[in-house]
Amino acid sequence: MIVRALLCTGLTAAICAAGGAWYLYRDLSRSIGVSTALDDGAPRSKHGDTNILLMGLDSRKDNNGEDLPDAVLDKLHAGSSEIGGYNTNTLILLHVPGDGSRATALSVPRDDLVELTGVPGHGKDKIKKAYGIAKYEAERRLARRGVTDRSTLEHEGREAGRKAEIRTVRDFLGVPIDHFAEVNLAGFFHIADALGGVPVCLNKPVKDHYSGADFHAGRQTLDGQQALAFVRQRHGLPRGDLDRTRRQQAFLASAAHQLNSVGTFTDPGKLVKLLDTAKKDLVTDKGWDLLSFVEKAKNLSGGHVEFATLPIAGFDKHKGEDVNIVDTAQVRDVVRTKLAKAPSGAPDPSAAPGAKPSGEPAAKPPGGEKDDGVRTLDGGGIPCVD
């Protein structure tokens, strides 16, 4: 789902570096979906840093609101096109420092109960719902004004959804969001195929008929269909959604590494296939100049990214649904710590005596294990997950 921003960053770097390939870059920048949802007056990062919100939709529809083909839905093992709505089941804040040091990717658990500030008057709900609620309300307002054109309703509804999700995440985390990238459910499927498979590692075998996951223990390479099952599985995992978040992190780390290891940047056929994938699944803000972003983001394709999951304080019910209870002040402290330019060897405030580790819920789910996240991938190792 969110993988597209990482991919396009490394991809663009390769294109711009290759002599005579300028046309490919221009084709990419002109063909991907463009959104005006990012508020021009919103706060921006300083010192050359860039915060990118990666949003993965659970929708079984394409970027124009059309149903995905039945053949694709069958491969996705994701049910009919009416399932899923427009929840942002993947939310990752990608922080790229202006000084070229290691990037940080912070996963926001989709069921965190927060104030949906992007949907005025709605109150608290799961953070993933801001997009879909705002989209629905915007379409209703347009319909009351007599708008009946389906494409107009879809476009304006999605723009409202993007704006609401961005504002809600920004207000919750307390940091600026400079750019965003959105992908649909088929994103993992397409990118794994475009890369010729993505290696992952499992601590133990799993089988889940809901997602279609059926994998042996150890390292293995996933095709598109398997990749989607891998990142969607939550049933049968010790920590449910938290383990699914770890899988998303592991997949992204491996996919970023795979960009270099399989020669994507030196193989014209693979490069073109990846370009086509980006154009199919990606929507970004109109103000994102990918060319200018290349130099400080090129390390992403080499795997120089630290992944972590933001903390939760416990679990409860809200309107009959399971939710994560969060301590907003604690979450913001962790975000500031992770994004700070601490001197080498300086202590991590989140690891101080008495503090909760950044990936560990204060109130643990049954089983009690902490969620360590996927910390780093430096050029070789593939992180193992449950």
Side-chain angles (χ1 to χ4, degrees):
M1 300 166 193
I2 48 302
V3 80
R4 220 56 55 202
L6 290 174
L7 300 174
C8 287
T9 297
L11 171 60
T12 308
I15 292 171
C16 296
W22 178 247
Y23 168 77
L24 289 177
Y25 169 73
R26 291 200 309 167
D27 182 56
L28 170 64
S29 62
R30 292 173 178 175
S31 302
I32 60 175
V34 177
S35 167
T36 60
L38 196 61
D39 185 0
D40 290 337
R44 291 291 188 267
S45 297
K46 299 178 180 179
H47 312 299
D49 294 354
T50 304
N51 290 336
I52 305 164
L53 180 62
L54 310 177
M55 302 189 296
L57 292 185
D58 197 35
S59 174
R60 275 67 167 165
K61 298 180 183 293
D62 65 17
N63 288 341
N64 297 314
E66 300 294 333
D67 293 347
L68 294 174
D70 289 340
V72 174
L73 287 173
D74 287 343
K75 289 184 178 180
L76 298 184
H77 202 85
S80 75
S81 60
E82 301 308 313
I83 298 174
Y86 285 88
N87 290 329
T88 49
N89 274 1
T90 302
L91 289 168
I92 295 180
L93 181 73
L94 177 64
H95 174 75
V96 183
D99 62 6
S101 57
R102 185 187 304 279
T104 302
L106 301 177
S107 293
V108 183
R110 65 175 187 163
D111 291 336
D112 283 1
L113 182 64
V114 304
E115 192 74 27
L116 298 192
T117 54
V119 190
H122 185 80
K124 286 193 171 184
D125 215 324
K126 294 182 179 183
I127 195 167
K128 69 178 183 180
K129 290 187 175 183
Y131 191 117
I133 292 171
K135 179 180 184 296
Y136 173 74
E137 292 184 354
E139 290 175 358
R140 286 187 63 190
R141 288 193 297 269
L142 289 170
R144 287 195 295 268
R145 287 162 41 192
V147 177
T148 58
D149 179 68
R150 180 181 171 188
S151 62
T152 299
L153 292 171
E154 180 70 18
H155 177 266
E156 295 301 320
R158 286 203 177 195
E159 287 290 82
R162 291 162 185 149
K163 185 174 294 187
E165 195 68 54
I166 291 167
R167 179 177 174 182
T168 297
V169 174
R170 183 188 69 207
D171 292 348
F172 174 48
L173 301 186
V175 295
I177 292 177
D178 305 293
H179 299 294
F180 81 92
E182 169 195 308
V183 294
N184 58 33
L185 184 65
F188 283 118
F189 173 84
H190 289 139
I191 193 56
D193 274 356
L195 289 174
V198 172
V200 300
C201 178
L202 284 172
N203 292 320
K204 56 188 177 181
V206 296
K207 190 168 186 176
D208 170 44
H209 75 274
Y210 291 101
S211 63
D214 187 0
F215 308 119
H216 60 78
R219 180 166 173 159
Q220 53 211 286
T221 299
L222 307 184
D223 62 21
Q225 185 171 348
Q226 293 170 322
L228 189 63
F230 176 79
V231 298
R232 289 184 64 238
Q233 184 185 2
R234 62 188 174 93
H235 296 282
L237 299 180
R239 293 172 293 272
D241 258 1
L242 295 179
D243 277 336
R244 174 157 70 174
T245 297
R246 293 193 65 195
R247 286 179 171 217
Q248 293 169 356
Q249 295 169 347
F251 178 90
L252 289 177
S254 296
H257 172 64
Q258 190 79 340
L259 283 170
N260 275 339
S261 66
V262 301
T264 302
F265 296 158
T266 57
D267 185 324
K270 290 180 180 178
L271 199 55
V272 169
K273 189 173 184 181
L274 198 57
L275 278 167
D276 288 339
T277 298
K279 290 185 288 187
K280 187 185 306 180
D281 296 319
L282 178 68
V283 175
T284 68
D285 60 281
K286 70 170 185 176
W288 195 355
D289 183 346
L290 293 177
L291 180 58
S292 297
F293 184 69
V294 165
E295 282 306 311
K296 61 181 175 182
K298 60 186 177 183
N299 283 340
L300 296 180
S301 64
H304 301 295
V305 185
E306 177 184 2
F307 289 83
T309 303
L310 294 177
I312 60 176
F315 307 92
D316 207 342
K317 292 279 187 179
H318 179 75
K319 298 180 181 178
E321 296 182 327
D322 293 327
V323 296
N324 302 328
I325 301 302
V326 293
D327 180 334
T328 302
Q330 182 197 14
V331 169
R332 291 179 178 176
D333 283 345
V334 170
V335 171
R336 282 193 294 269
T337 297
K338 291 294 184 182
L339 272 53
K341 296 186 180 72
S344 178
D348 182 345
S350 68
K356 301 290 187 303
S358 63
E360 182 178 2
K364 298 177 184 177
E369 303 94 339
K370 71 177 182 178
D371 172 25
D372 288 318
V374 177
R375 296 310 178 197
T376 59
L377 184 70
D378 289 318
I382 300 298
C384 286
V385 296
D386 287 331

